[in-house]
Amino acid sequence: MAVSSMLKIQLLGHDSVKDRLKMRLRDLGAVEVTEIEVEEGRSSEESSSIGDINRLIEHLEGSISFLEDYVESPSMWEKLSGTAIQVGRDEAEKLAVEFSVEDLWKKSSNLSGRMRELENEIDKSRELINHLEPWKALDVPLEKLETEGFRGQLWSFPSGEIEQNMAELTSDFRLSHFELVSEGEGRAYFAVIIPWEDDGELTDALKGVGGHLNEFGNVRGTPAEVIKEALAGVKEAEAQINELRDQAAGLAEEVIEKLYILIDYYNEQLALAELESSLYKTDSVFLLEGWIREMDRKKLERGILEGFT
């Protein structure tokens, strides 16, 4: 005896057509047609589908927002002659099955995240270069500014009264040494060698004449060496960013139209899911459940459409 594959069916409808629909289902070959509680008929997959679709839409929007910056702008002629993307529902459903939104989201996130990291590195390097530029002529490694008896510090002062101020400081702190390294933009930049015993008192005096202490943390090497290394790092980071942009442009060219199709498809799916969810909460609806042979599926779908639309 041949065994037919069976499909479980569920139909949600208005109370006014309940009896007629039951008879129609049986005429179309459905068996074990029973009415079940509406909430009972909702699977966990159905109840979470709205959240899943929202997540897909969010990831699609994020990917589109990132990749659109790397889509070549159309010419005026292309804008005038262009048409909307025409895709049938079957094609959209097939694309939704075959295309991994999550994988694309990860690729886009990794690209944008790495670009941000490199841009932050460039900003920090340029900031360091700008701070070190006035000290470029100082031929002393920054990590060697301290000795057993003395410490070296890098101070900047307003240029206006610097000669008089330095003369007074040199007179008051005879064991200290003040060397002008550079001047520019209304500031004078001095390397100051201070005996440890004068450290606190001289620091207060330097601040009293408008001095600003410049500190560079754990930076090692002379200012010129650090600047050279930082410039090389900026150049390398910019080259990496350009390579990542090329990857983003290639990815955008490959998938952007698919993303436009999918965002429309999933927005439509979300609207349907929200509508279905609201129907489940309506008192005047019923839910029928039954079984049909797999080979009768198309016949049943046509029969329902013909009888109730």
Side-chain angles (χ1 to χ4, degrees):
M1 180 178 176
V3 177
S4 298
S5 297
M6 302 295 287
L7 296 176
K8 183 179 181 180
I9 59 170
Q10 288 187 341
L11 285 94
L12 190 70
H14 192 272
D15 280 340
S16 61
V17 298
K18 184 196 303 183
D19 294 334
R20 191 156 60 91
L21 181 58
K22 284 182 181 179
M23 293 178 59
R24 185 66 169 170
L25 287 173
R26 294 188 180 106
D27 291 342
L28 292 169
V31 296
E32 298 183 23
V33 178
T34 56
E35 183 177 355
I36 61 175
E37 291 294 325
V38 170
E39 287 300 321
E40 182 186 333
R42 299 185 70 185
S43 66
S44 59
E45 181 180 347
E46 288 169 334
S47 62
S48 65
S49 64
I50 291 176
D52 292 340
I53 296 171
N54 271 319
R55 187 183 68 253
L56 288 169
I57 291 173
E58 180 183 337
H59 287 179
L60 281 165
E61 289 175 341
S63 296
I64 290 171
S65 176
F66 169 66
L67 292 174
E68 275 186 330
D69 289 339
Y70 301 94
V71 176
E72 187 175 348
S73 299
S75 65
M76 179 63 73
W77 172 251
E78 288 171 328
K79 289 179 180 178
L80 291 171
S81 60
T83 58
I85 302 170
Q86 301 293 327
V87 178
R89 181 170 181 80
D90 289 345
E91 292 175 273
E93 289 179 347
K94 185 173 184 288
L95 181 60
V97 171
E98 295 176 350
F99 190 91
S100 175
V101 173
E102 300 299 331
D103 287 350
L104 189 278
W105 164 248
K106 289 175 184 175
K107 283 183 184 178
S108 299
S109 298
N110 289 339
L111 283 170
S112 61
R114 182 56 182 150
M115 285 182 191
R116 281 195 301 272
E117 288 175 4
L118 290 167
E119 286 164 355
N120 288 337
E121 289 177 18
I122 290 172
D123 289 343
K124 289 178 182 177
S125 294
R126 285 179 173 155
E127 183 179 6
L128 178 61
I129 291 167
N130 288 336
H131 286 165
L132 281 172
E133 190 66 31
W135 310 103
K136 192 163 59 174
L138 185 67
D139 194 24
V140 179
L142 294 171
E143 74 274 16
K144 294 183 178 180
L145 289 176
E146 292 188 4
T147 65
E148 187 174 338
F150 293 85
R151 71 183 303 182
Q153 292 183 335
L154 305 178
W155 287 80
S156 64
F157 303 89
S159 296
E161 302 175 356
I162 192 62
E163 290 184 9
Q164 178 183 342
N165 290 333
M166 284 299 115
E168 292 176 0
L169 289 167
T170 301
S171 174
D172 294 341
F173 299 92
R174 295 182 179 276
L175 294 179
S176 298
H177 176 71
F178 302 86
E179 181 178 340
L180 179 65
V181 178
S182 69
E183 287 187 272
E185 298 183 358
R187 304 289 292 180
Y189 299 86
F190 277 81
V192 183
I193 299 175
I194 307 171
W196 283 104
E197 58 266 28
D198 289 342
D199 187 15
E201 187 179 354
L202 179 53
T203 296
D204 291 340
L206 293 171
K207 289 180 179 177
V209 294
H212 172 74
L213 176 61
N214 296 266
E215 297 179 286
F216 299 100
N218 297 320
V219 175
R220 300 178 67 83
T222 67
E225 290 170 345
V226 176
I227 288 171
K228 182 179 179 181
E229 183 179 347
L231 286 170
V234 168
K235 186 176 180 180
E236 173 61 25
E238 287 175 338
Q240 290 185 45
I241 288 175
N242 287 334
E243 184 179 332
L244 292 170
R245 285 173 176 163
D246 288 342
Q247 292 180 32
L251 185 60
E253 184 178 3
E254 178 186 347
V255 304
I256 197 70
E257 286 196 357
K258 295 178 182 178
L259 301 188
Y260 293 146
I261 293 167
L262 287 170
I263 195 77
D264 286 344
Y265 172 77
Y266 282 117
N267 274 317
E268 181 181 330
Q269 293 300 107
L270 178 62
L272 290 171
E274 289 175 340
L275 176 60
E276 181 180 340
S277 177
S278 66
L279 285 174
Y280 274 115
K281 298 172 185 176
T282 303
D283 293 335
S284 58
V285 299
F286 65 91
L287 183 63
L288 295 180
E289 186 174 274
W291 295 85
I292 60 165
R293 293 184 303 175
E294 187 174 8
M295 67 177 68
D296 292 334
R297 175 182 173 179
K298 294 293 183 183
K299 172 186 171 184
L300 181 132
E301 289 175 350
R302 286 195 302 270
I304 297 294
L305 288 172
E306 290 170 2
F308 296 90
T309 57

